[in-house]
Amino acid sequence: GLGKGATDAPHDRARVAATTTVDDFDPSAVSDHREKQIAAVVRRRGQAKFRAALIDIYNGECVITGCNATEALEAAHISPYLGDESNHPQNGLLLRADIHSLFDLGLIAIDPVTMKVVIAEHLMESSYAELSGIRIATPSDPTLSASGDALKQHHTWTGIPR
């Protein structure tokens, strides 16, 4: 036996689980938050003109992956958005949505000297490791290439080594 005052934790958990009831899922009781989420995605894409310009400049392809599904592409600001002046094409990269998120989180950067992708060390154990060392696509008009100063600022901010 367990002796006086001793407890049997697995038995106690099983007894609690058996007496706890969970209501059945009722889809009619769930609030619809999709409109809010869609609005957030639209806002995240930045101003329509900025995104349209980057789609044109980069021929509708992610500068890192080459993804050409425009619905999955977002206009990423290299230096954070601070108003309309931030929407300059040289302050933008056309990125697939997941890559954009990682870029904004400082887990992916572009080395401003080599123009190659560098990624955070812990991502080297993920499927994103294959992106490391890829040279980003350049626009057909080189005057519209991403700002080296902006890329340097972002790369420095991330702390990712070269």
Side-chain angles (χ1 to χ4, degrees), residues 27-67:
S28 66
V30 177
S31 302
D32 189 351
H33 295 285
R34 286 178 295 185
E35 254 184 66
K36 260 173 130 174
Q37 291 172 330
I38 291 167
V41 168
V42 170
R43 275 194 307 276
R44 178 166 172 79
R45 286 185 174 161
Q47 295 194 353
K49 282 174 58 177
F50 182 57
R51 183 171 179 268
L54 290 177
I55 287 172
D56 186 51
I57 290 165
Y58 291 107
N59 299 314
E61 294 182 355
C62 171
V63 301
I64 294 175
T65 67
C67 173

Side-chain angles (χ1 to χ4, degrees), residues 24-115:
D24 288 338
F25 175 70
D26 179 1
S28 66
V30 177
S31 302
D32 189 351
H33 295 285
R34 286 178 295 185
E35 254 184 66
K36 260 173 130 174
Q37 291 172 330
I38 291 167
V41 168
V42 170
R43 275 194 307 276
R44 178 166 172 79
R45 286 185 174 161
Q47 295 194 353
K49 282 174 58 177
F50 182 57
R51 183 171 179 268
L54 290 177
I55 287 172
D56 186 51
I57 290 165
Y58 291 107
N59 299 314
E61 294 182 355
C62 171
V63 301
I64 294 175
T65 67
C67 173
N68 64 357
T70 54
E71 298 85 356
L73 299 177
E74 296 178 346
H77 290 92
I78 302 166
S79 290
Y81 178 80
L82 298 173
D84 282 345
E85 291 177 22
S86 302
N87 285 336
H88 192 288
Q90 292 177 327
N91 187 39
L93 294 171
L94 191 62
L95 298 175
R96 196 175 68 197
D98 60 327
I99 306 299
H100 184 186
S101 294
L102 295 172
F103 185 85
D104 283 355
L105 291 169
L107 300 174
I108 288 182
I110 309 302
D111 182 313
V113 175
T114 64
M115 299 303 275

